[in-house]
Amino acid sequence: MTTKNLQDGFEFLYSDKRIRLIHGVLKGLGVAVTRDDYQDLVQEGCLIFAQVFADYPEPVTTPMEERRLMSYAYRKIRWRLLDILRHQQQSVKASQYSLDQDELNPVSRDLVDPQAQLPFDQLANTAFFDTLWQHAGKQERRYLQLALQDRFASDAAIAKHCGVSRQAVHQWKQQLIATAHRLQKDWPDMV
């Protein structure tokens, strides 16, 4: 029995277009090719395949054995990539809000890129909110801080928390929106 290592697994994967297995797993998981981290997930899949190949107990010499290995590898890659995607989804839950709405839902129409899937894209959103914070007045900052917290579901809840009228909170919000639009006009690459 020969000892297999990761390098053997990579060579086996990249020969005879077996790399299609990784793309098939990602397609089965619903990961679009246009997704920002698609190539990263392909590389993760390749690493997982190489490890599976190295750990596979039987030699792969016949087409039937190759089919068994590929079926086993498909399942292992699928479950590990699914774990990675679940972990990403849980750890990157960032609330994104639009200040134009009465209710604060995680919708990002004006201030946040709705296609932002990764922390890289969300960094741009964070940079925008940091800039907005720097250019906002005292009451606008207070509103922004409270609006981005999940515990306040509406302007009325913020008004009750601050001990002011809903009209006052609405005015803070309108001033903040005006500041955001002004920033967007001055720095169109910011959003």
Side-chain angles (χ1 to χ4, degrees):
M1 183 162 105
T2 61
T3 306
K4 298 182 278 186
N5 60 26
L6 292 178
Q7 185 61 36
D8 296 333
F10 286 120
E11 290 172 4
F12 185 80
L13 178 64
Y14 287 113
S15 63
D16 293 334
K17 297 183 180 179
R18 292 185 184 105
I19 188 74
R20 293 182 301 171
L21 175 73
I22 309 298
H23 295 286
V25 170
L26 290 170
K27 184 176 181 181
L29 291 174
V31 177
V33 179
T34 57
R35 189 174 157 141
D36 296 333
D37 63 343
Y38 184 82
Q39 289 302 319
D40 295 332
L41 292 171
V42 169
Q43 292 303 314
E44 285 289 336
C46 292
L47 288 169
I48 296 165
F49 181 88
Q51 187 63 50
V52 167
F53 184 83
D55 295 342
Y56 197 69
E58 300 173 21
V60 183
T61 55
T62 66
M64 181 59 114
E65 291 166 349
E66 180 182 338
R67 212 168 314 151
R68 284 186 189 147
L69 168 68
M70 297 301 273
S71 176
Y72 175 69
Y74 181 90
R75 288 191 305 271
K76 289 286 264 190
I77 294 166
R78 183 181 191 284
W79 284 107
R80 290 228 192 122
L81 288 179
L82 189 58
D83 286 343
I84 290 170
L85 291 169
R86 283 182 185 153
H87 180 72
Q88 282 179 353
Q89 190 175 22
Q90 290 172 354
S91 65
V92 181
K93 279 190 177 176
S95 299
Q96 299 174 344
Y97 298 100
S98 171
L99 297 175
D100 284 337
Q101 299 174 343
D102 289 334
E103 296 296 318
L104 296 176
N105 296 323
V107 177
S108 51
R109 190 166 34 109
D110 288 339
L111 300 178
V112 180
D113 178 13
Q115 300 297 320
Q117 300 170 348
L118 293 176
F120 306 112
D121 295 328
Q122 292 170 0
L123 284 175
N125 299 335
T126 303
F128 178 77
F129 280 112
D130 287 343
T131 305
L132 184 59
W133 181 268
Q134 292 169 0
H135 289 85
K138 181 181 176 184
Q139 297 301 337
E140 295 167 12
R141 286 181 182 182
R142 186 175 185 190
Y143 177 81
L144 182 61
Q145 182 178 13
L146 294 173
L148 294 177
Q149 294 178 2
D150 287 334
R151 64 183 188 179
F152 297 107
S154 66
D155 288 350
I158 292 173
K160 184 176 180 181
H161 175 76
C162 295
V164 297
S165 68
R166 286 183 301 164
Q167 292 80 9
V169 172
H170 181 73
Q171 187 173 358
W172 298 347
K173 180 168 86 171
Q174 292 305 315
Q175 290 170 346
L176 188 62
I177 291 171
T179 303
H181 287 299
R182 190 176 64 248
L183 287 174
Q184 185 178 9
K185 201 178 292 182
D186 293 343
W187 295 296
D189 295 336
M190 180 70 72
V191 178

